[in-house]
Amino acid sequence: MKIQSIEKYKGSTYCVEFYEDKKIYLNQEIISDYNLKPDMEIPHEAIDDITHSSDLRRARERALYLLGFRDHSYKELFDKLDQNYPEDICMEICDRMVSIGLVNDKRYAEKLARDFIEVKHYGSYRARYDMQRKGIDRELIDAALEPYEDDTIDRLTKLVERKYTRYLIDKKGVQKVKSALARQGYSYSDVNAVLEEYIDTIEE
């Protein structure tokens, strides 16, 4: 195939048009790397290679953009890239992000556990559910949440004292608090254990 023209399209992207009524859009860096020029003959297989390199570059830039805002799990990043790029490109870029340390599921799991448990005051069920939604492996979730298991009752007690005691004046209020804490991801057994004193007072 023979290049008819190379015209600036948008930003650093150029439209490469062929005499055979075909267009491809490439970054200026790709055009420079392959030394593309008008009237240049390019074999079909070379165009595939150029297009692959272009997609790879775009996907890399997209991945870096996403990771610049916040951490992502491998699966989370892959799924976002998969919306616009071929599977092999997505896997190659995700593997590269892992190799340079920008994607680390173990580190991300530990960060999420701290955020969900210490900052948002979630119970383990809610924390586990939200971590799974972000594509974290179950074993990594278990390891990240393990340090918080022993002090669940203490954390739950402090949460109730800080936020919910004013509702614990009747059975209806107690039920509302139970429902709220269940949504936060605490087990009914832990909730009942913490609220037992308040429940006994009301029933008397």
Side-chain angles (χ1 to χ4, degrees):
M1 295 182 68
K2 190 174 184 178
I3 296 176
Q4 180 178 358
S5 64
I6 301 176
E7 301 289 342
K8 189 167 185 176
Y9 173 68
K10 183 168 56 177
S12 59
T13 301
Y14 283 72
C15 174
V16 179
E17 187 169 3
F18 296 86
Y19 284 103
E20 291 81 359
D21 198 28
K22 176 182 176 64
K23 295 180 181 179
I24 57 175
Y25 295 88
L26 305 173
N27 185 273
Q28 184 177 11
E29 182 181 309
I30 300 297
I31 291 173
S32 177
D33 288 345
Y34 286 89
N35 196 27
L36 301 181
K37 298 176 181 178
D39 294 325
M40 182 178 182
E41 286 280 356
I42 305 178
H44 280 281
E45 58 272 18
I47 292 178
D48 292 339
D49 181 58
I50 292 170
T51 301
H52 178 84
S53 296
S54 179
D55 287 343
L56 199 63
R57 185 189 183 283
R58 289 194 185 104
R60 184 184 71 242
E61 293 301 310
R62 178 62 178 166
L64 292 172
Y65 173 81
L66 292 169
L67 292 169
F69 280 96
R70 66 169 179 83
D71 288 335
H72 285 65
S73 69
Y74 187 103
K75 184 179 184 303
E76 196 176 19
L77 182 62
F78 181 93
D79 288 344
K80 288 186 178 180
L81 295 177
D82 192 44
Q83 297 173 13
N84 297 294
Y85 304 101
E87 183 176 316
D88 61 326
I89 293 283
C90 299
M91 190 170 294
E92 184 173 347
I93 292 300
C94 288
D95 287 346
R96 187 176 299 180
M97 295 299 108
V98 170
S99 70
I100 62 178
L102 291 181
V103 170
N104 183 315
D105 279 6
K106 180 177 182 294
R107 182 184 64 209
Y108 188 34
E110 292 170 350
K111 179 179 181 296
L112 287 173
R114 285 194 301 272
D115 183 44
F116 290 151
I117 300 296
E118 298 180 14
V119 179
K120 295 184 177 180
H121 307 291
Y122 288 171
S124 60
Y125 292 111
R126 173 72 181 274
R128 185 179 302 278
Y129 173 75
D130 282 3
M131 291 169 76
Q132 288 176 337
R133 288 181 62 199
K134 290 183 177 293
I136 303 294
D137 182 79
R138 184 169 295 178
E139 291 184 2
L140 292 178
I141 294 175
D142 290 341
L145 292 177
E146 184 182 10
Y148 301 98
E149 290 179 358
D150 291 340
D151 64 347
T152 297
I153 295 296
D154 183 55
R155 287 187 287 104
L156 183 53
T157 299
K158 290 177 180 177
L159 178 60
V160 170
E161 290 174 348
R162 187 180 68 253
K163 190 174 179 181
Y164 293 106
T165 51
R166 66 182 182 274
Y167 300 108
L168 300 173
I169 56 176
D170 54 29
K171 291 183 179 180
K172 186 177 180 180
V174 169
Q175 189 55 51
K176 285 184 177 180
V177 171
K178 285 185 178 182
S179 298
L181 293 174
R183 288 193 296 271
Q184 284 282 93
Y186 293 96
S187 70
Y188 275 108
S189 60
D190 287 341
V191 171
N192 284 331
V194 170
L195 296 183
E196 187 175 6
E197 179 181 346
Y198 297 97
I199 295 171
D200 290 344
T201 301
I202 293 168
E203 289 180 346
E204 290 174 1

PDB file of all heavy atoms in Angstrom, residues 1-26:
ATOM      1  N   MET A   1       0.850  -1.195   0.000  1.00  0.00           N
ATOM      2  CA  MET A   1       0.000   0.000   0.000  1.00  0.00           C
ATOM      3  C   MET A   1       0.883   1.242   0.000  1.00  0.00           C
ATOM      4  O   MET A   1       1.974   1.251   0.553  1.00  0.00           O
ATOM      5  CB  MET A   1      -0.920   0.001   1.223  1.00  0.00           C
ATOM      6  CG  MET A   1      -1.931  -1.139   1.231  1.00  0.00           C
ATOM      7  SD  MET A   1      -3.051  -1.094   2.642  1.00  0.00           S
ATOM      8  CE  MET A   1      -4.003   0.381   2.265  1.00  0.00           C
ATOM      9  N   LYS A   2       0.363   2.312  -0.642  1.00  0.00           N
ATOM     10  CA  LYS A   2       1.161   3.525  -0.812  1.00  0.00           C
ATOM     11  C   LYS A   2       0.494   4.704  -0.114  1.00  0.00           C
ATOM     12  O   LYS A   2      -0.710   4.936  -0.258  1.00  0.00           O
ATOM     13  CB  LYS A   2       1.316   3.830  -2.299  1.00  0.00           C
ATOM     14  CG  LYS A   2       2.315   4.926  -2.612  1.00  0.00           C
ATOM     15  CD  LYS A   2       2.507   5.051  -4.118  1.00  0.00           C
ATOM     16  CE  LYS A   2       3.581   6.084  -4.446  1.00  0.00           C
ATOM     17  NZ  LYS A   2       3.806   6.189  -5.907  1.00  0.00           N
ATOM     18  N   ILE A   3       1.288   5.424   0.702  1.00  0.00           N
ATOM     19  CA  ILE A   3       0.774   6.570   1.443  1.00  0.00           C
ATOM     20  C   ILE A   3       0.481   7.719   0.489  1.00  0.00           C
ATOM     21  O   ILE A   3       1.347   8.130  -0.304  1.00  0.00           O
ATOM     22  CB  ILE A   3       1.777   7.030   2.511  1.00  0.00           C
ATOM     23  CG1 ILE A   3       1.969   5.944   3.567  1.00  0.00           C
ATOM     24  CG2 ILE A   3       1.301   8.317   3.180  1.00  0.00           C
ATOM     25  CD1 ILE A   3       3.013   6.281   4.616  1.00  0.00           C
ATOM     26  N   GLN A   4      -0.727   8.250   0.551  1.00  0.00           N
ATOM     27  CA  GLN A   4      -1.097   9.404  -0.271  1.00  0.00           C
ATOM     28  C   GLN A   4      -0.774  10.718   0.449  1.00  0.00           C
ATOM     29  O   GLN A   4      -0.229  11.641  -0.135  1.00  0.00           O
ATOM     30  CB  GLN A   4      -2.586   9.348  -0.597  1.00  0.00           C
ATOM     31  CG  GLN A   4      -3.064  10.520  -1.455  1.00  0.00           C
ATOM     32  CD  GLN A   4      -4.540  10.402  -1.809  1.00  0.00           C
ATOM     33  OE1 GLN A   4      -5.197   9.435  -1.441  1.00  0.00           O
ATOM     34  NE2 GLN A   4      -5.057  11.364  -2.547  1.00  0.00           N
ATOM     35  N   SER A   5      -1.128  10.779   1.754  1.00  0.00           N
ATOM     36  CA  SER A   5      -0.882  12.012   2.496  1.00  0.00           C
ATOM     37  C   SER A   5      -0.803  11.722   3.984  1.00  0.00           C
ATOM     38  O   SER A   5      -1.313  10.711   4.471  1.00  0.00           O
ATOM     39  CB  SER A   5      -1.987  13.043   2.233  1.00  0.00           C
ATOM     40  OG  SER A   5      -3.227  12.564   2.727  1.00  0.00           O
ATOM     41  N   ILE A   6      -0.137  12.632   4.703  1.00  0.00           N
ATOM     42  CA  ILE A   6      -0.070  12.583   6.168  1.00  0.00           C
ATOM     43  C   ILE A   6      -0.451  13.971   6.664  1.00  0.00           C
ATOM     44  O   ILE A   6       0.293  14.937   6.474  1.00  0.00           O
ATOM     45  CB  ILE A   6       1.333  12.201   6.670  1.00  0.00           C
ATOM     46  CG1 ILE A   6       1.747  10.821   6.123  1.00  0.00           C
ATOM     47  CG2 ILE A   6       1.371  12.192   8.199  1.00  0.00           C
ATOM     48  CD1 ILE A   6       3.162  10.417   6.507  1.00  0.00           C
ATOM     49  N   GLU A   7      -1.641  14.086   7.234  1.00  0.00           N
ATOM     50  CA  GLU A   7      -2.152  15.377   7.663  1.00  0.00           C
ATOM     51  C   GLU A   7      -2.446  15.371   9.166  1.00  0.00           C
ATOM     52  O   GLU A   7      -2.918  14.372   9.720  1.00  0.00           O
ATOM     53  CB  GLU A   7      -3.452  15.720   6.908  1.00  0.00           C
ATOM     54  CG  GLU A   7      -3.306  15.767   5.391  1.00  0.00           C
ATOM     55  CD  GLU A   7      -2.512  16.974   4.912  1.00  0.00           C
ATOM     56  OE1 GLU A   7      -2.378  17.935   5.705  1.00  0.00           O
ATOM     57  OE2 GLU A   7      -2.027  16.941   3.758  1.00  0.00           O
ATOM     58  N   LYS A   8      -2.169  16.512   9.794  1.00  0.00           N
ATOM     59  CA  LYS A   8      -2.456  16.628  11.219  1.00  0.00           C
ATOM     60  C   LYS A   8      -3.955  16.506  11.437  1.00  0.00           C
ATOM     61  O   LYS A   8      -4.756  17.128  10.745  1.00  0.00           O
ATOM     62  CB  LYS A   8      -1.956  17.966  11.753  1.00  0.00           C
ATOM     63  CG  LYS A   8      -2.025  18.073  13.276  1.00  0.00           C
ATOM     64  CD  LYS A   8      -1.243  19.270  13.786  1.00  0.00           C
ATOM     65  CE  LYS A   8      -1.229  19.279  15.311  1.00  0.00           C
ATOM     66  NZ  LYS A   8      -0.404  20.385  15.862  1.00  0.00           N
ATOM     67  N   TYR A   9      -4.337  15.694  12.421  1.00  0.00           N
ATOM     68  CA  TYR A   9      -5.750  15.458  12.695  1.00  0.00           C
ATOM     69  C   TYR A   9      -6.198  16.188  13.965  1.00  0.00           C
ATOM     70  O   TYR A   9      -7.053  17.056  13.932  1.00  0.00           O
ATOM     71  CB  TYR A   9      -6.008  13.959  12.816  1.00  0.00           C
ATOM     72  CG  TYR A   9      -7.400  13.607  13.257  1.00  0.00           C
ATOM     73  CD1 TYR A   9      -8.501  13.849  12.438  1.00  0.00           C
ATOM     74  CD2 TYR A   9      -7.632  13.010  14.499  1.00  0.00           C
ATOM     75  CE1 TYR A   9      -9.787  13.531  12.846  1.00  0.00           C
ATOM     76  CE2 TYR A   9      -8.909  12.685  14.917  1.00  0.00           C
ATOM     77  CZ  TYR A   9      -9.987  12.948  14.087  1.00  0.00           C
ATOM     78  OH  TYR A   9     -11.256  12.629  14.505  1.00  0.00           O
ATOM     79  N   LYS A  10      -5.584  15.847  15.085  1.00  0.00           N
ATOM     80  CA  LYS A  10      -5.960  16.462  16.346  1.00  0.00           C
ATOM     81  C   LYS A  10      -4.826  16.271  17.348  1.00  0.00           C
ATOM     82  O   LYS A  10      -4.381  15.154  17.568  1.00  0.00           O
ATOM     83  CB  LYS A  10      -7.256  15.835  16.875  1.00  0.00           C
ATOM     84  CG  LYS A  10      -7.783  16.459  18.155  1.00  0.00           C
ATOM     85  CD  LYS A  10      -9.207  16.002  18.448  1.00  0.00           C
ATOM     86  CE  LYS A  10      -9.314  14.503  18.527  1.00  0.00           C
ATOM     87  NZ  LYS A  10     -10.694  14.058  18.874  1.00  0.00           N
ATOM     88  N   GLY A  11      -4.383  17.366  17.926  1.00  0.00           N
ATOM     89  CA  GLY A  11      -3.290  17.286  18.885  1.00  0.00           C
ATOM     90  C   GLY A  11      -2.039  16.734  18.237  1.00  0.00           C
ATOM     91  O   GLY A  11      -1.561  17.252  17.223  1.00  0.00           O
ATOM     92  N   SER A  12      -1.524  15.632  18.790  1.00  0.00           N
ATOM     93  CA  SER A  12      -0.330  14.999  18.224  1.00  0.00           C
ATOM     94  C   SER A  12      -0.688  13.813  17.335  1.00  0.00           C
ATOM     95  O   SER A  12       0.173  13.023  16.958  1.00  0.00           O
ATOM     96  CB  SER A  12       0.605  14.543  19.354  1.00  0.00           C
ATOM     97  OG  SER A  12      -0.058  13.631  20.208  1.00  0.00           O
ATOM     98  N   THR A  13      -1.983  13.704  16.982  1.00  0.00           N
ATOM     99  CA  THR A  13      -2.447  12.610  16.132  1.00  0.00           C
ATOM    100  C   THR A  13      -2.530  13.062  14.677  1.00  0.00           C
ATOM    101  O   THR A  13      -3.011  14.157  14.382  1.00  0.00           O
ATOM    102  CB  THR A  13      -3.832  12.107  16.589  1.00  0.00           C
ATOM    103  OG1 THR A  13      -3.741  11.658  17.939  1.00  0.00           O
ATOM    104  CG2 THR A  13      -4.317  10.960  15.705  1.00  0.00           C
ATOM    105  N   TYR A  14      -2.070  12.188  13.776  1.00  0.00           N
ATOM    106  CA  TYR A  14      -2.084  12.490  12.347  1.00  0.00           C
ATOM    107  C   TYR A  14      -2.894  11.437  11.597  1.00  0.00           C
ATOM    108  O   TYR A  14      -2.937  10.270  11.994  1.00  0.00           O
ATOM    109  CB  TYR A  14      -0.654  12.511  11.792  1.00  0.00           C
ATOM    110  CG  TYR A  14       0.105  13.777  12.142  1.00  0.00           C
ATOM    111  CD1 TYR A  14       0.541  14.006  13.438  1.00  0.00           C
ATOM    112  CD2 TYR A  14       0.357  14.748  11.174  1.00  0.00           C
ATOM    113  CE1 TYR A  14       1.218  15.158  13.770  1.00  0.00           C
ATOM    114  CE2 TYR A  14       1.043  15.911  11.491  1.00  0.00           C
ATOM    115  CZ  TYR A  14       1.467  16.117  12.790  1.00  0.00           C
ATOM    116  OH  TYR A  14       2.136  17.275  13.108  1.00  0.00           O
ATOM    117  N   CYS A  15      -3.530  11.876  10.535  1.00  0.00           N
ATOM    118  CA  CYS A  15      -4.271  10.968   9.671  1.00  0.00           C
ATOM    119  C   CYS A  15      -3.374  10.560   8.505  1.00  0.00           C
ATOM    120  O   CYS A  15      -2.899  11.415   7.739  1.00  0.00           O
ATOM    121  CB  CYS A  15      -5.537  11.653   9.138  1.00  0.00           C
ATOM    122  SG  CYS A  15      -6.446  10.671   7.921  1.00  0.00           S
ATOM    123  N   VAL A  16      -3.137   9.274   8.395  1.00  0.00           N
ATOM    124  CA  VAL A  16      -2.329   8.745   7.291  1.00  0.00           C
ATOM    125  C   VAL A  16      -3.295   8.115   6.284  1.00  0.00           C
ATOM    126  O   VAL A  16      -3.973   7.136   6.588  1.00  0.00           O
ATOM    127  CB  VAL A  16      -1.324   7.687   7.788  1.00  0.00           C
ATOM    128  CG1 VAL A  16      -0.511   7.143   6.611  1.00  0.00           C
ATOM    129  CG2 VAL A  16      -0.408   8.284   8.857  1.00  0.00           C
ATOM    130  N   GLU A  17      -3.368   8.695   5.103  1.00  0.00           N
ATOM    131  CA  GLU A  17      -4.307   8.233   4.082  1.00  0.00           C
ATOM    132  C   GLU A  17      -3.553   7.548   2.954  1.00  0.00           C
ATOM    133  O   GLU A  17      -2.507   8.025   2.492  1.00  0.00           O
ATOM    134  CB  GLU A  17      -5.110   9.408   3.524  1.00  0.00           C
ATOM    135  CG  GLU A  17      -6.222   8.986   2.577  1.00  0.00           C
ATOM    136  CD  GLU A  17      -7.165  10.146   2.244  1.00  0.00           C
ATOM    137  OE1 GLU A  17      -6.903  11.271   2.704  1.00  0.00           O
ATOM    138  OE2 GLU A  17      -8.152   9.900   1.535  1.00  0.00           O
ATOM    139  N   PHE A  18      -4.109   6.414   2.515  1.00  0.00           N
ATOM    140  CA  PHE A  18      -3.474   5.637   1.452  1.00  0.00           C
ATOM    141  C   PHE A  18      -4.260   5.796   0.152  1.00  0.00           C
ATOM    142  O   PHE A  18      -5.453   6.108   0.163  1.00  0.00           O
ATOM    143  CB  PHE A  18      -3.421   4.150   1.842  1.00  0.00           C
ATOM    144  CG  PHE A  18      -2.568   3.878   3.045  1.00  0.00           C
ATOM    145  CD1 PHE A  18      -3.099   3.976   4.331  1.00  0.00           C
ATOM    146  CD2 PHE A  18      -1.230   3.539   2.902  1.00  0.00           C
ATOM    147  CE1 PHE A  18      -2.320   3.728   5.453  1.00  0.00           C
ATOM    148  CE2 PHE A  18      -0.441   3.291   4.018  1.00  0.00           C
ATOM    149  CZ  PHE A  18      -0.979   3.392   5.292  1.00  0.00           C
ATOM    150  N   TYR A  19      -3.568   5.563  -0.958  1.00  0.00           N
ATOM    151  CA  TYR A  19      -4.223   5.645  -2.263  1.00  0.00           C
ATOM    152  C   TYR A  19      -5.325   4.593  -2.390  1.00  0.00           C
ATOM    153  O   TYR A  19      -6.257   4.756  -3.171  1.00  0.00           O
ATOM    154  CB  TYR A  19      -3.183   5.457  -3.391  1.00  0.00           C
ATOM    155  CG  TYR A  19      -2.330   6.681  -3.623  1.00  0.00           C
ATOM    156  CD1 TYR A  19      -1.026   6.746  -3.143  1.00  0.00           C
ATOM    157  CD2 TYR A  19      -2.829   7.780  -4.346  1.00  0.00           C
ATOM    158  CE1 TYR A  19      -0.237   7.862  -3.370  1.00  0.00           C
ATOM    159  CE2 TYR A  19      -2.044   8.896  -4.573  1.00  0.00           C
ATOM    160  CZ  TYR A  19      -0.754   8.942  -4.082  1.00  0.00           C
ATOM    161  OH  TYR A  19       0.027  10.069  -4.305  1.00  0.00           O
ATOM    162  N   GLU A  20      -5.198   3.536  -1.643  1.00  0.00           N
ATOM    163  CA  GLU A  20      -6.173   2.449  -1.699  1.00  0.00           C
ATOM    164  C   GLU A  20      -7.430   2.760  -0.884  1.00  0.00           C
ATOM    165  O   GLU A  20      -8.170   1.843  -0.498  1.00  0.00           O
ATOM    166  CB  GLU A  20      -5.537   1.153  -1.180  1.00  0.00           C
ATOM    167  CG  GLU A  20      -4.467   0.585  -2.110  1.00  0.00           C
ATOM    168  CD  GLU A  20      -3.114   1.298  -1.914  1.00  0.00           C
ATOM    169  OE1 GLU A  20      -3.033   2.226  -1.073  1.00  0.00           O
ATOM    170  OE2 GLU A  20      -2.153   0.921  -2.606  1.00  0.00           O
ATOM    171  N   ASP A  21      -7.683   4.021  -0.610  1.00  0.00           N
ATOM    172  CA  ASP A  21      -8.876   4.477   0.113  1.00  0.00           C
ATOM    173  C   ASP A  21      -8.941   3.903   1.535  1.00  0.00           C
ATOM    174  O   ASP A  21      -9.970   3.414   1.984  1.00  0.00           O
ATOM    175  CB  ASP A  21     -10.152   4.107  -0.662  1.00  0.00           C
ATOM    176  CG  ASP A  21     -11.353   4.928  -0.173  1.00  0.00           C
ATOM    177  OD1 ASP A  21     -11.138   6.060   0.301  1.00  0.00           O
ATOM    178  OD2 ASP A  21     -12.484   4.428  -0.251  1.00  0.00           O
ATOM    179  N   LYS A  22      -7.813   3.964   2.230  1.00  0.00           N
ATOM    180  CA  LYS A  22      -7.725   3.504   3.619  1.00  0.00           C
ATOM    181  C   LYS A  22      -7.071   4.602   4.453  1.00  0.00           C
ATOM    182  O   LYS A  22      -6.155   5.283   3.995  1.00  0.00           O
ATOM    183  CB  LYS A  22      -6.896   2.217   3.701  1.00  0.00           C
ATOM    184  CG  LYS A  22      -6.660   1.711   5.124  1.00  0.00           C
ATOM    185  CD  LYS A  22      -5.801   0.455   5.123  1.00  0.00           C
ATOM    186  CE  LYS A  22      -5.461  -0.006   6.533  1.00  0.00           C
ATOM    187  NZ  LYS A  22      -6.659  -0.408   7.304  1.00  0.00           N
ATOM    188  N   LYS A  23      -7.557   4.764   5.681  1.00  0.00           N
ATOM    189  CA  LYS A  23      -6.983   5.751   6.593  1.00  0.00           C
ATOM    190  C   LYS A  23      -6.646   5.080   7.923  1.00  0.00           C
ATOM    191  O   LYS A  23      -7.378   4.212   8.389  1.00  0.00           O
ATOM    192  CB  LYS A  23      -7.978   6.883   6.866  1.00  0.00           C
ATOM    193  CG  LYS A  23      -8.326   7.745   5.670  1.00  0.00           C
ATOM    194  CD  LYS A  23      -9.324   8.827   6.084  1.00  0.00           C
ATOM    195  CE  LYS A  23      -9.715   9.696   4.898  1.00  0.00           C
ATOM    196  NZ  LYS A  23     -10.711  10.743   5.289  1.00  0.00           N
ATOM    197  N   ILE A  24      -5.539   5.510   8.505  1.00  0.00           N
ATOM    198  CA  ILE A  24      -5.213   5.114   9.868  1.00  0.00           C
ATOM    199  C   ILE A  24      -4.760   6.365  10.611  1.00  0.00           C
ATOM    200  O   ILE A  24      -4.236   7.310  10.012  1.00  0.00           O
ATOM    201  CB  ILE A  24      -4.119   4.021   9.937  1.00  0.00           C
ATOM    202  CG1 ILE A  24      -2.839   4.482   9.237  1.00  0.00           C
ATOM    203  CG2 ILE A  24      -4.618   2.716   9.364  1.00  0.00           C
ATOM    204  CD1 ILE A  24      -1.690   3.485   9.383  1.00  0.00           C
ATOM    205  N   TYR A  25      -4.995   6.367  11.905  1.00  0.00           N
ATOM    206  CA  TYR A  25      -4.653   7.538  12.719  1.00  0.00           C
ATOM    207  C   TYR A  25      -3.512   7.164  13.662  1.00  0.00           C
ATOM    208  O   TYR A  25      -3.629   6.232  14.467  1.00  0.00           O
ATOM    209  CB  TYR A  25      -5.884   8.024  13.494  1.00  0.00           C
ATOM    210  CG  TYR A  25      -6.970   8.530  12.574  1.00  0.00           C
ATOM    211  CD1 TYR A  25      -7.927   7.661  12.051  1.00  0.00           C
ATOM    212  CD2 TYR A  25      -7.006   9.875  12.200  1.00  0.00           C
ATOM    213  CE1 TYR A  25      -8.902   8.128  11.178  1.00  0.00           C
ATOM    214  CE2 TYR A  25      -7.982  10.347  11.339  1.00  0.00           C
ATOM    215  CZ  TYR A  25      -8.927   9.468  10.834  1.00  0.00           C
ATOM    216  OH  TYR A  25      -9.891   9.936   9.958  1.00  0.00           O
ATOM    217  N   LEU A  26      -2.418   7.899  13.553  1.00  0.00           N
ATOM    218  CA  LEU A  26      -1.207   7.567  14.289  1.00  0.00           C
ATOM    219  C   LEU A  26      -0.665   8.773  15.044  1.00  0.00           C
ATOM    220  O   LEU A  26      -0.795   9.916  14.594  1.00  0.00           O
ATOM    221  CB  LEU A  26      -0.109   7.064  13.338  1.00  0.00           C
ATOM    222  CG  LEU A  26      -0.464   5.883  12.428  1.00  0.00           C
ATOM    223  CD1 LEU A  26       0.671   5.632  11.442  1.00  0.00           C
ATOM    224  CD2 LEU A  26      -0.734   4.640  13.256  1.00  0.00           C
TER     225      LEU A  26
END
